[in-house]
Amino acid sequence: MVGVVLAVRGPARQLWPSSPLLLLLLLLLLLLLLLCRGASAQYSSNMCNWKGSGLTHEAHKKDVEQVYLRCSEGSVEWMYPTGALIINLQTNTVSLSNKHLTICIKLFKDSMGANIYLGKNGELKLLVRDGDHSPRKVYCFGFDQGALFIEATPQQDISRKITGFQYELTNKREVSNLHTISVVRGSIQNVKNEPEQQESIIDIHVSKLYRQKNKVFQIVESSKSWQGQIKTLLECGVKPGNGDFLFTGRMHFGEARLSCAPRFKDFLRMYKDAENKGLNPCEIGTV
């Protein structure tokens, strides 16, 4: 057994290893503790968000790390990207099937340093090329199309590179449920098309507010009426005009997005028909 002796030098006393082997073991243990502490500081993760550093991959630049997130929305931030990540996204609710699940990501404004692919059965499909994205563009794909595979691109200097994005998981069946979205009756006052973003911004004058989230529609003091803005795809071809519509939508990366807008008279007909058959998922005032 390796012992420890008490060395006395003058009035001071201190314990010191009696063997060089024990001293070496203590130094190795201290170094291991420092390395573990440094590695753990490179990562911050919970069920919704992940933040990590590629510096831990420096010695093995071909490493592929698995990241598991179980949340309906969150973010991924990869500093100094090297190697690759596989991001496995899943909802925080129990579901028998994910075939109705859609995943959308929106890259951070200054995101760079990696290509983003969809990976399934060993095959990769390019989703976003490094540096080739609009800060306002949203990329959506079905859950069954695969996991996100993020591969760092060769860089001379990775010191200022951060690859990051927000993500949202949406169940198409939930989107059709009026309990999960904002609902207003109103008319289209103005439409502003933005071809570069492939979207239209719709100004709505609200005649009846049934339900809303995040205070998208607010009272304008000058007219004492409810007004607000929502966005939709440019390809929908929305135009201002007469008549009331029933606008339904949901928040999408902090913005109100249009889901459906039937003419109110058409909605009334469908609503009454469903009510008579006992098929309405909820009640909504139609006056």
Side-chain angles (χ1 to χ4, degrees):
M1 178 181 293
V2 179
V4 177
V5 299
L6 182 66
V8 181
R9 294 183 180 180
R13 293 182 177 184
Q14 57 179 260
L15 290 175
W16 196 254
S18 61
S19 167
L21 176 60
L22 181 57
L23 177 60
L24 179 61
L25 290 174
L26 290 174
L27 290 175
L28 289 175
L29 178 61
L30 178 60
L31 179 60
L32 180 61
L33 289 173
L34 290 175
L35 287 175
C36 291
R37 183 178 179 182
S40 63
Q42 300 292 334
Y43 294 90
S44 174
S45 179
N46 54 38
M47 297 296 286
C48 300
N49 308 298
W50 182 88
K51 183 177 182 179
S53 170
L55 293 180
T56 57
H57 288 170
E58 190 62 30
H60 306 282
K61 292 187 177 181
K62 294 184 179 180
D63 281 356
V64 178
E65 181 174 355
Q66 296 272 356
V67 175
Y68 295 89
L69 297 173
R70 190 178 182 86
C71 212
S72 59
E73 60 182 53
S75 64
V76 171
E77 186 174 352
W78 192 22
M79 301 179 293
Y80 323 120
T82 59
L85 297 177
I86 296 179
I87 309 296
N88 300 276
L89 300 175
Q90 181 61 275
T91 60
N92 55 0
T93 58
V94 177
S95 175
L96 297 177
S97 174
N98 292 308
K99 65 180 181 179
H100 298 288
L101 199 63
T102 296
I103 300 174
C104 294
I105 66 171
K106 183 177 182 181
L107 273 68
F108 295 158
K109 181 180 179 181
D110 298 322
S111 178
M112 62 179 65
N115 293 323
I116 301 178
Y117 302 86
L118 290 177
K120 184 178 182 180
N121 299 328
E123 296 184 1
L124 297 178
K125 178 182 178 182
L126 183 63
L127 183 66
V128 187
R129 190 180 302 277
D130 183 17
D132 184 20
H133 69 275
S134 165
R136 297 174 62 183
K137 186 172 182 179
V138 174
Y139 303 85
C140 296
F141 53 94
F143 180 86
D144 57 356
Q145 289 183 257
L148 287 169
F149 183 88
I150 308 176
E151 183 181 36
T153 54
Q155 304 286 339
Q156 293 294 326
D157 178 16
I158 65 169
S159 61
R160 296 184 179 182
K161 302 295 189 297
I162 297 178
T163 299
F165 58 85
Q166 298 171 272
Y167 72 85
E168 287 185 359
L169 280 68
T170 303
N171 190 309
K172 296 177 183 178
R173 289 180 173 176
E174 292 178 356
V175 170
S176 64
N177 188 336
L178 295 181
H179 287 291
T180 67
I181 55 183
S182 298
V183 185
V184 301
R185 174 185 175 182
S187 57
I188 300 174
Q189 298 296 102
N190 186 51
V191 177
K192 180 182 178 182
N193 295 323
E194 296 189 345
E196 291 186 2
Q197 307 302 328
Q198 288 297 297
E199 63 185 17
S200 298
I201 302 174
I202 308 169
D203 293 325
I204 296 177
H205 177 272
V206 178
S207 55
K208 187 172 181 61
L209 180 66
Y210 296 101
R211 184 183 297 110
Q212 75 160 328
K213 294 186 177 183
N214 301 80
K215 297 183 178 180
V216 174
F217 301 96
Q218 300 187 20
I219 295 179
V220 178
E221 290 297 328
S222 59
S223 61
K224 302 297 181 181
S225 62
W226 290 86
Q227 296 183 21
Q229 283 189 339
I230 57 177
K231 294 183 177 181
T232 191
L233 296 176
L234 182 65
E235 64 188 35
C236 293
V238 178
K239 297 180 181 179
N242 298 325
D244 273 6
F245 296 82
L246 186 76
F247 297 95
T248 65
R250 62 185 296 271
M251 298 305 295
H252 190 51
F253 295 111
E255 298 179 336
R257 308 292 301 193
L258 180 66
S259 296
C260 183
R263 287 194 175 273
F264 191 70
K265 61 179 182 180
D266 296 330
F267 164 74
L268 276 182
R269 186 181 67 255
M270 293 184 291
Y271 181 87
K272 292 296 183 182
D273 184 55
E275 187 177 44
N276 293 334
K277 296 178 181 179
L279 300 177
N280 277 353
C282 62
E283 293 184 3
I284 183 171
T286 57
V287 179

